[in-house]
Amino acid sequence: MHTNLNAAAAWALSTADAMAAGYARAGLAEREVAALVLISSHAGVGVDWLYSRLGLTQSGTVRLVDRLAAAGLVARGTPGGRRGIPLTLTATGRERLEEALAGRAGALATATAALRPDEQELLAGLLAKALAGRPRDRAEADVACRLCDWPGCPRPCPVDASVPGAGPARSR
């Protein structure tokens, strides 16, 4: 490849660092935000579903959910068959997630502030094309979207479009 993508890598890393700082201002670590996003967007999921999307072991995910529950951000439901114990966000969990996503939005706004609005749209379109063009399975798609603002995602979602033969799996 003749294109020098160092600028893209540096931009992506500095943006990721700024997003992590936004999560920290909301009092959350990135994996905590990811867990809250995934629980919020997939009603009633359990630890067995969640751990494969967070990059943690099952026991690590249980400890993470324990911390989120102890902080009043996540509630455990009544055991429900194959899905295990369903997880939901509490009102406090939804508020903290909104704070974290606002930090993410601020970081992205700063990262694209040097671009004109038409350039921002062009960048968004190119990124959507790149995301849609890489085939992935449903679980990998959920991993890719673990820090997304799901209700704010354009339809059709480019990551959903990357799952061969699958329709949208979003509970928005």
Side-chain angles (χ1 to χ4, degrees):
M1 177 179 289
H2 296 287
T3 304
N4 183 337
L5 294 178
N6 282 336
W11 183 85
L13 285 172
S14 66
T15 302
D17 290 345
M19 290 186 335
Y23 305 146
R25 283 190 294 281
L28 298 167
E30 184 176 302
R31 280 218 170 105
E32 293 169 329
V33 175
L36 296 176
V37 164
L38 290 168
I39 293 166
S40 172
S41 59
H42 291 80
V45 299
V47 168
D48 285 342
W49 181 90
L50 192 58
Y51 87 89
S52 66
R53 278 125 174 117
L54 292 176
L56 294 170
T57 63
Q58 187 172 13
S59 62
T61 304
V62 168
R63 288 190 298 274
L64 173 62
V65 168
D66 286 346
R67 286 192 307 273
L68 294 172
L73 306 179
V74 171
R76 290 181 173 94
T78 306
R82 294 187 67 154
R83 289 188 124 186
I85 298 172
L87 304 171
T88 58
L89 294 189
T90 64
T92 302
R94 281 188 295 279
E95 289 171 11
R96 294 281 290 286
L97 177 56
E98 287 176 15
E99 290 174 36
L101 292 177
R104 173 188 170 270
L108 292 170
T110 299
T112 59
L115 302 176
R116 295 184 317 262
D118 64 310
E119 292 172 325
Q120 292 177 11
E121 287 298 316
L122 177 62
L123 176 62
L126 292 171
L127 293 172
K129 182 178 180 179
L131 285 167
R134 183 175 158 252
R136 51 180 63 92
D137 65 21
R138 178 78 260 153
E140 188 181 2
D142 292 338
V143 170
C145 295
R146 71 188 180 279
L147 294 169
C148 285
D149 177 4
W150 287 51
C153 190
R155 290 169 182 84
C157 169
V159 175
D160 276 348
S162 73
V163 179
R170 308 277 171 130
S171 34
R172 295 182 199 246

